[in-house]
Amino acid sequence: MSYGVIGIDSAWVIPALCAAAFFFIVAFMRLFPPSTPLAKHTPNLSAATSILAILLGFILFWFVLADLLNNGPGALSINWLTIGDTILTWGVVVDNLSVVMLGLVTFVALLVQVYSLGYMKGDPRFGWYFGAHSLFAGAMLALVLADNLLFLYIAWELVGLGSYLLIGFRYEKRSAAEAAKKAFVTTRIGDVGLLIGIILLFKATGTFELSAIFHAAEAGGISQSTLNASALLILMGAMGKSAQFPFHVWLPDAMEGPTPVSALIHAATMVAAGVYLVARMMPIFELAPTVLLIVAIIGLITFTFASTVALVVTDFKRVLAYSTISHLGLMMLSLGAGAVGAALLHLVAHGVSKALLFLGAGSVMHGTGGKTEIWEMGGLRKAMPITAVTFLIGAGSLAGIPPLGGFFSKDEVLLSVWDHRNPVFLVLTLAAVGLSALYMARVTFVVFFGKPRNSDIHAHESQPVMWVPLALLALLAAGVGFLAFSWTDSYRGFVGFLEPDEGFHFVAWLTVLSALLALVGVGMAWLAYIRGAISPQRISTRFATIHRILVHKYYVDDLYQWAIDRVVLVFGRFIALFDRIVINDTGVNGPGIAVKLSALRLRYAQSGWLYTYGLFMAFGFVALALIWWLVLA
């Protein structure tokens, strides 16, 4: 290697640093509880430890990237357990896909943690907050580096644990505790599917190692039925983590966590895990074209569904949550078209833009006393100019406004859909692109432009520790799209970096059309929320039924609640009754009770009185005589 001991072989250190930070913070907090004199230093030391760990990980990422570019992909593996002929390993794989995720996770996590110094200042669980952050980031980094499905699944579950701890950080608040449980339970449904899919692949190949599984599949060593079943089950796991319809319901409620947590979850960690999983397992999906079509269909449904709901949501963070669901659907649609490069480019562009937007929302909440209802805001660009400008850049990127990053990534996705899927997919995707621009422009105009709607709000700009990360993310959100271009002979664009057989492509009519649709969406929002030429209230009244459906999120949450109340809980009560009466009272306690009752009756035979024994002897003699006379005579 060109960098001595620092390179691909050191990639495992990046998640290990975060894991070590977590254990150090937890141990330090246990050693110095609040009653000890050193307890006042614990929160700051916890924050410093967590930030230092992710900073070193981000620095180490650059050495890993340089080594990858100079020497190509590599892997590191150690034997963990041997059972018969099966050898279980712990290992990491560093290739173009994993290194992209390494850079995104470490960069976003670093900025979110720095931002949290200002946002979470004074919180009574300040130290634990950073400990949970380190656990979450370490689990995600381990997931993207895992070279086998067993290690990946363990990291996958740790990501779920981290999200549970962070979403429910303010667990004394019932809504936060319920949101954490909802996220945990919903994603567990998908995780069961993922586990079964992994077991099917192991049964067919005898190994958990990704490279060996891919080789066996390509060589015809796995039957088509197994490939289809395992791919579908793996997709189920990805749908849970990446909030695809109909597993999307946990993500809007996850807004109950602190806003920096929302930025981390929505930008680079948990929701990105599902997209990464499908991208990593693409060799399996390519051999199961029917399942790949299902991926595209689910992605399109999710993209369109969330785009329409975001048009009527009035909670600041929930608008961004449905935006996340929408763009995750777009990434899945791209993967369903077989375009890993386009999907990952949009994942990166969306990651930095969405982190920027959520941190911007946190800055607004911080500067307005915790307000989240967008109709209570307005005109904040004057009181919060840095937040307004940076938020405008992030919103414009996700709206697909050229030349911001999201425009180019979205263009790559549209091109992949046009090349590999039915034109119907493209038409519906383009319609949702216009809606995406409309809802992003809506929230931006309502919050930052126009006149203030609430005289009780006295907004102020956030402190530098909060707006500096916003500025850095804004620069990246504006420029990340240029990675799509082919700048040199060795770099054929971001798509070519991930897919050597592909490269930078440009279709003029599609690019112009997508840009026009985005501008039309922004223009409509400007006419409605700035000029007042279009009345949203009049439209919602005229199309009251459609508006009601959108406000109730297509009644998906209501349907789930009905199913829980009328089916799950009723069936659960029946099972509990059956368990208590039949299994417990009859099957388990019944024999014991019968023996006890029999003993209570039979004890009278042991009275100690001679005449009692004589009476029983007489009865016995008569009984034996009757038996002899009736049976033997």
Side-chain angles (χ1 to χ4, degrees):
M1 293 183 183
S2 305
Y3 298 91
V5 297
I6 303 180
I8 286 177
D9 286 348
S10 302
W12 65 271
V13 177
I14 300 177
L17 285 168
C18 293
F22 166 73
F23 288 113
F24 175 81
I25 291 169
V26 172
F28 193 81
M29 291 174 65
R30 298 277 293 182
L31 286 173
F32 302 102
S35 59
T36 59
L38 291 176
K40 64 179 182 179
H41 302 294
T42 302
N44 292 332
L45 182 60
S46 298
T49 302
S50 180
I51 293 174
L52 179 62
I54 197 65
L55 174 61
L56 291 175
F58 181 60
I59 295 171
L60 188 57
F61 152 73
W62 291 103
F63 288 95
V64 173
L65 175 61
D67 194 12
L68 174 73
L69 295 177
N70 288 330
N71 301 303
L76 177 67
S77 181
I78 60 172
N79 289 347
W80 171 45
L81 187 64
T82 301
I83 304 174
D85 296 332
T86 302
I87 300 176
L88 304 180
T89 63
W90 295 97
V92 300
V93 58
V94 180
D95 55 10
N96 295 14
L97 177 59
S98 61
V99 84
V100 166
M101 295 298 298
L102 274 183
L104 177 64
V105 174
T106 53
F107 178 71
V108 172
L110 174 61
L111 292 186
V112 168
Q113 291 193 28
V114 171
Y115 176 96
S116 298
L117 290 173
Y119 189 89
M120 299 297 293
K121 184 178 180 180
D123 193 283
R125 291 191 291 273
F126 187 80
W128 168 243
Y129 170 84
F130 281 92
H133 253 282
S134 290
L135 172 65
F136 197 31
M140 185 65 193
L141 290 166
L143 190 156
V144 302
L145 287 173
D147 73 336
N148 67 82
L149 288 175
L150 182 61
F151 187 21
L152 184 148
Y153 187 77
I154 293 172
W156 183 272
E157 291 301 311
L158 286 175
V159 168
L161 172 62
S163 69
Y164 173 79
L165 296 174
L166 287 171
I167 294 170
F169 177 74
R170 296 191 174 98
Y171 53 82
E172 67 280 359
K173 186 180 176 184
R174 181 173 176 80
S175 58
E178 292 296 327
K181 288 190 290 185
K182 187 175 183 178
F184 195 79
V185 171
T186 305
T187 54
R188 288 295 77 70
I189 296 172
D191 293 354
V192 170
L194 173 61
L195 179 60
I196 297 173
I198 290 173
I199 293 172
L200 286 178
L201 290 176
F202 175 76
K203 186 175 183 297
T205 62
T207 181
F208 290 107
E209 292 185 13
L210 290 169
S211 58
I213 291 173
F214 296 157
H215 178 74
E218 291 165 357
I222 305 177
S223 67
Q224 190 61 48
S225 60
T226 300
L227 282 173
N228 289 337
S230 58
L232 194 60
L233 290 164
I234 290 170
L235 171 62
M236 187 176 171
M239 289 169 63
K241 278 288 193 288
S242 287
Q244 298 296 292
F245 181 90
F247 297 135
H248 66 281
V249 292
W250 68 267
L251 193 57
D253 289 354
M255 299 303 95
E256 292 294 338
T259 302
V261 170
S262 302
L264 190 62
I265 289 176
H266 287 245
T269 49
M270 186 167 176
V271 297
V275 176
Y276 169 80
L277 176 65
V278 176
R280 173 60 72 191
M281 301 299 293
M282 187 53 68
I284 298 296
F285 283 92
E286 287 177 339
L287 296 173
T290 303
V291 180
L292 201 60
L293 176 61
I294 294 174
V295 175
I297 294 172
I298 290 172
L300 180 60
I301 292 173
T302 304
F303 183 39
T304 307
F305 163 85
S307 295
T308 56
V309 174
L311 292 173
V312 299
V313 177
T314 60
D315 182 273
F316 199 0
K317 291 175 65 177
R318 288 178 184 266
V319 174
L320 301 181
Y322 278 101
S323 169
T324 299
I325 297 172
S326 172
H327 285 274
L328 289 169
L330 188 61
M331 296 172 210
M332 282 293 183
L333 174 59
S334 179
L335 291 171
V340 172
L344 266 291
L345 177 60
H346 195 62
L347 175 64
V348 172
H350 172 267
V352 295
S353 300
K354 190 51 61 69
L356 170 59
L357 292 175
F358 267 108
L359 295 185
S363 181
V364 169
M365 293 170 62
H366 187 268
T368 59
K371 299 294 183 182
T372 60
E373 177 63 38
I374 63 174
W375 294 112
E376 293 183 359
M377 305 175 192
L380 294 183
R381 73 184 188 282
K382 296 179 181 179
M384 310 179 70
I386 298 176
T387 300
V389 171
T390 54
F391 191 94
L392 185 63
I393 292 172
S397 175
L398 290 187
I401 303 300
L404 301 176
F407 167 75
F408 296 105
S409 64
K410 196 175 293 184
D411 192 61
E412 291 288 339
V413 173
L414 291 172
L415 184 58
S416 67
V417 174
W418 169 249
D419 286 340
H420 302 290
R421 285 300 168 203
N422 190 287
V424 174
F425 281 84
L426 181 63
V427 172
L428 296 175
T429 304
L430 286 170
V433 164
L435 294 177
S436 177
L438 177 57
Y439 68 69
M440 288 310 309
R442 168 182 175 261
V443 70
T444 304
F445 289 150
V446 170
V447 172
F448 293 101
F449 293 85
K451 296 180 180 180
R453 298 179 178 85
N454 190 339
S455 58
D456 295 332
I457 294 180
H458 303 286
H460 58 85
E461 186 60 85
S462 300
Q463 52 193 304
V465 74
M466 293 175 65
W467 64 253
V468 168
L470 294 179
L472 293 175
L473 285 168
L475 290 174
L476 199 57
V480 70
F482 292 101
L483 291 174
F485 292 97
S486 178
W487 294 106
T488 64
D489 292 337
S490 59
Y491 180 74
R492 300 176 57 244
F494 189 92
V495 174
F497 178 71
L498 289 174
E499 298 179 275
D501 296 333
E502 298 290 337
F504 174 73
H505 299 288
F506 178 76
V507 177
W509 70 268
L510 189 56
T511 300
V512 172
L513 181 58
S514 66
L516 285 176
L517 287 171
L519 292 173
V520 167
V522 173
M524 290 180 65
W526 181 76
L527 290 173
Y529 302 105
I530 300 297
R531 288 295 302 274
I534 300 176
S535 173
Q537 291 77 16
R538 190 177 302 170
I539 293 175
S540 62
T541 302
R542 184 173 181 181
F543 300 97
T545 302
I546 296 176
H547 182 260
R548 185 168 56 254
I549 291 172
L550 295 180
V551 168
H552 285 87
K553 298 163 286 189
Y554 292 87
Y555 293 94
V556 175
D557 290 78
D558 301 88
L559 177 61
Y560 286 171
Q561 194 60 54
W562 178 89
I564 291 170
D565 294 339
R566 302 297 180 85
V567 179
V568 176
L569 294 181
V570 171
F571 185 69
R573 284 192 289 268
F574 168 75
I575 293 296
L577 188 65
F578 179 83
D579 176 72
R580 186 175 70 252
I581 295 176
V582 178
I583 303 298
N584 188 69
D585 294 351
T586 304
V588 177
N589 295 337
I593 293 173
V595 171
K596 182 179 179 180
L597 292 175
S598 301
L600 289 174
R601 299 295 183 271
L602 290 173
R603 71 178 181 173
Y604 294 114
Q606 302 296 328
S607 64
W609 296 99
L610 182 60
Y611 60 79
T612 303
Y613 299 147
L615 178 64
F616 277 103
M617 291 173 65
F619 277 126
F621 177 78
V622 171
L624 290 174
L626 288 174
I627 293 172
W628 177 80
W629 182 59
L630 294 174
V631 178
L632 299 178

